Amino acid sequence: MSIKMREFDKDDIKFMIQIWNEVVKDGTAFPQTELLDKNSGFEFFSSQSFVGVAVETDANSDKKGEILGLYILHPNNVGRCGHIANASYAVTKNTRGKGVGEILVRHSLLRAKEFGFRIMQFNAVVANNEVALRLYEKLGFAKLGVIKGGFLNKNGIYEDIIPHYIELI
């Protein structure tokens, strides 16, 4: 698998919406419950500070040119806390477990620093998302504690969330 990171363009929106909605429908990682459509998707992605897409570039792959995942980057807060970034990541179901998520996170950290953010903070990492937890630990993120029952899973069970942060300076 050979992957190139780039900024999204309007031709990507259809595929980005599909990937984003996959995660929303799963109901186990994103807080959103509403699915994006063509209009709301374009508005949502265009309103971010940056949106990166991971694209397959291997000429021998049947997925050449396919968007494998994406991330959104934006301020976590405003004003005196506006130097803290937040990001969300979505990877296609059939590509999970192949390192795309790590590529997305690493790219988002570089872009966040380029945008002048000093910290990346994740507000709601669901405690049973073991893949994300291992990745964030590997990359040097610090856990901020546990918020008991902070996430309402699609199946109606309240699960713990573990906020994380890393300094970008």
Side-chain angles (χ1 to χ4, degrees):
M1 186 175 282
S2 181
I3 297 171
K4 174 186 169 188
M5 287 299 307
R6 64 169 172 78
E7 186 170 8
F8 91 100
D9 64 46
K10 63 179 175 50
D11 294 333
D12 300 328
I13 293 291
K14 175 183 173 185
F15 306 104
M16 293 167 57
I17 290 169
Q18 290 172 354
I19 296 167
W20 189 267
N21 285 346
E22 272 185 9
V23 179
V24 173
K25 286 177 192 176
D26 284 346
T28 59
F30 282 179
Q32 291 87 351
T33 57
E34 297 293 321
L35 299 178
L36 298 175
D37 61 28
K38 184 179 175 183
N39 293 328
S40 64
F42 182 77
E43 183 178 319
F44 175 70
F45 291 120
S46 297
S47 71
Q48 307 300 317
S49 300
F50 185 84
V51 178
V53 294
V55 179
E56 173 62 66
T57 59
D58 186 348
N60 298 320
S61 172
D62 60 341
K63 296 183 181 205
K64 183 171 182 348
E66 183 177 324
I67 296 173
L68 306 173
L70 64 99
Y71 72 86
I72 60 171
L73 175 70
H74 52 264
N76 192 53
N77 212 315
V78 297
R80 298 184 195 282
C81 294
H83 61 285
I84 302 173
N86 181 269
S88 296
Y89 310 91
V91 176
T92 61
K93 279 187 180 183
N94 59 353
T95 309
R96 293 178 191 163
K98 298 181 180 177
V100 176
E102 182 171 348
I103 292 168
L104 291 169
V105 175
R106 287 184 182 278
H107 191 265
S108 73
L109 295 175
L110 293 173
R111 292 299 297 177
K113 190 171 183 176
E114 291 171 5
F115 273 81
F117 291 110
R118 298 173 52 91
I119 297 168
M120 176 72 79
Q121 179 175 317
F122 302 145
N123 301 320
V125 182
V126 181
N128 71 2
N129 190 345
E130 295 174 11
V131 173
L133 292 171
R134 280 194 305 273
L135 175 58
Y136 301 153
E137 181 177 354
K138 174 184 175 180
L139 296 178
F141 280 80
K143 296 178 183 177
L144 292 171
V146 175
I147 300 171
K148 295 283 185 190
F151 182 83
L152 178 58
N153 196 307
K154 181 180 177 178
N155 63 14
I157 296 173
Y158 286 93
E159 298 187 44
D160 298 346
I161 55 175
I162 305 170
H164 285 68
Y165 83 99
I166 191 169
E167 291 186 44
L168 303 173
I169 52 175

